[in-house]
Amino acid sequence: MTTMPIKRALARLAPVGLAELIDRAALQTRVDRKYLVPVEALPRLLAQLAPHAKVLDIDGERTFRYESVYFDTPRLASYYCAAYRRRRRFKVRTRTYVDSGDCWLEVKISGARGSITKHRLPYHPRNSGTVHPGRDFIDEALGRESIGPEAGSTLDPVLVTDYHRATLLLPETLSRVTIDTGLSWRDADSTLRLPGLAVVETKTASAATPVDRMLWQRGLRPARISKYATGLAALRLDLPDVPWRRTLRRHFRGTASSADPTPTMSHRPEQEASCV
């Protein structure tokens, strides 16, 4: 849930509609930089951003609840591509905009020099927990990039994330910033929450944004975090976690509230899964 100080700070920003945001900064292919920021620091950051940013406003609302379901193969091919830092990686998920009921099936592909390409298909919310109605779309997107599991291989729901998001437009650089609060992750056995932490993500064609520079001035640097991979590593202690180990030790383990303090350790793939 978004705190009142954050809501008041967002209320001071100029509004931007969804159509204008998409028109000016769709950025389906982009470079992302993620930062872990204490929730208490957000109002001051937003106040500093006020001259440079507009906030997405839909019917007077400026924060929106998101739910994402991530899918992977039985051997967690998507996860292992990230854990072993494969240059080209993929993710498959459904994303539901809970307030509006809209849902999308998405395939995200990470390429050279940190670039990300996203393929999206409108999806029925009742199918958010399965890829079956959109499997041809997934196979086509992955096949076009020559990445991912073989066509027709099983993709099962593995992890669900839930959070509230505010989205900013930076008109001068035609870039976007998302601010995610109320973060939670859950799998079949456990739930993990980080109520005091926000994920601030800048999305740009290449160059750093004013937000990046403001965060750098405060001593914050981009963090290694993936909502899917880092969250799954936090819940399943048997999985390799080298890329996110510092993030996990500093921000997740020992600070998160969890319904089950000992996440499941029952899933151990017999061998490393292939990304291609």
Side-chain angles (χ1 to χ4, degrees), residues 124-185:
H124 199 289
R126 70 165 176 256
N127 295 323
S128 64
T130 177
V131 299
H132 294 308
R135 188 56 200 257
D136 289 344
F137 168 79
I138 295 170
D139 290 342
E140 181 182 349
L142 294 175
R144 194 182 310 143
E145 303 282 349
S146 300
I147 191 173
E150 294 181 359
S153 59
T154 302
L155 286 170
D156 297 315
V158 174
L159 187 72
V160 180
T161 65
D162 194 288
Y163 51 93
H164 287 78
R165 169 168 288 185
T167 301
L168 310 182
L169 169 68
L170 304 179
E172 294 178 4
T173 56
L174 297 181
S175 54
R176 282 189 287 136
V177 179
T178 58
I179 301 173
D180 298 340
T181 57
L183 298 155
S184 73
W185 294 259

Side-chain angles (χ1 to χ4, degrees), residues 35-243:
Y35 303 84
L36 292 165
V37 180
V39 168
E40 61 192 25
L42 292 177
R44 183 180 173 189
L45 175 65
L46 289 167
Q48 192 176 356
L49 272 174
H52 308 283
K54 296 182 178 182
V55 61
L56 176 63
D57 185 301
I58 301 177
D59 297 328
E61 296 295 328
R62 297 189 169 193
T63 60
F64 308 94
R65 185 182 164 201
Y66 284 47
E67 182 181 88
S68 297
V69 181
Y70 289 88
F71 300 85
D72 213 333
T73 68
R75 292 186 180 275
L76 300 181
S78 175
Y79 178 88
Y80 273 81
C81 285
Y84 289 108
R85 303 185 185 183
R86 296 292 186 253
R87 184 176 62 87
R88 301 181 69 243
R89 306 182 296 276
F90 73 96
K91 290 179 190 174
V92 176
R93 73 185 179 197
T94 58
R95 167 164 287 175
T96 302
Y97 301 85
V98 177
D99 301 289
S100 67
D102 293 336
C103 184
W104 295 79
L105 176 63
E106 299 182 341
V107 179
K108 292 182 68 176
I109 297 171
S110 300
R113 295 180 295 277
S115 66
I116 294 175
T117 302
K118 184 191 293 186
H119 306 270
R120 307 182 85 202
L121 176 72
Y123 217 54
H124 199 289
R126 70 165 176 256
N127 295 323
S128 64
T130 177
V131 299
H132 294 308
R135 188 56 200 257
D136 289 344
F137 168 79
I138 295 170
D139 290 342
E140 181 182 349
L142 294 175
R144 194 182 310 143
E145 303 282 349
S146 300
I147 191 173
E150 294 181 359
S153 59
T154 302
L155 286 170
D156 297 315
V158 174
L159 187 72
V160 180
T161 65
D162 194 288
Y163 51 93
H164 287 78
R165 169 168 288 185
T167 301
L168 310 182
L169 169 68
L170 304 179
E172 294 178 4
T173 56
L174 297 181
S175 54
R176 282 189 287 136
V177 179
T178 58
I179 301 173
D180 298 340
T181 57
L183 298 155
S184 73
W185 294 259
R186 67 181 186 272
D187 65 5
D189 301 292
S190 306
T191 298
L192 180 150
R193 298 181 180 87
L194 293 178
L197 202 63
V199 175
V200 176
E201 185 171 355
T202 63
K203 307 168 191 283
T204 178
S206 59
T209 70
V211 177
D212 292 291
R213 289 188 285 272
M214 289 176 188
L215 292 169
W216 296 344
Q217 290 170 1
R218 296 177 182 208
L220 294 170
R221 292 293 183 269
R224 285 191 175 274
I225 181 171
S226 154
K227 285 195 180 73
Y228 172 54
T230 311
L232 196 63
L235 289 170
R236 300 188 180 182
L237 303 182
D238 59 318
L239 294 176
D241 62 3
V242 171

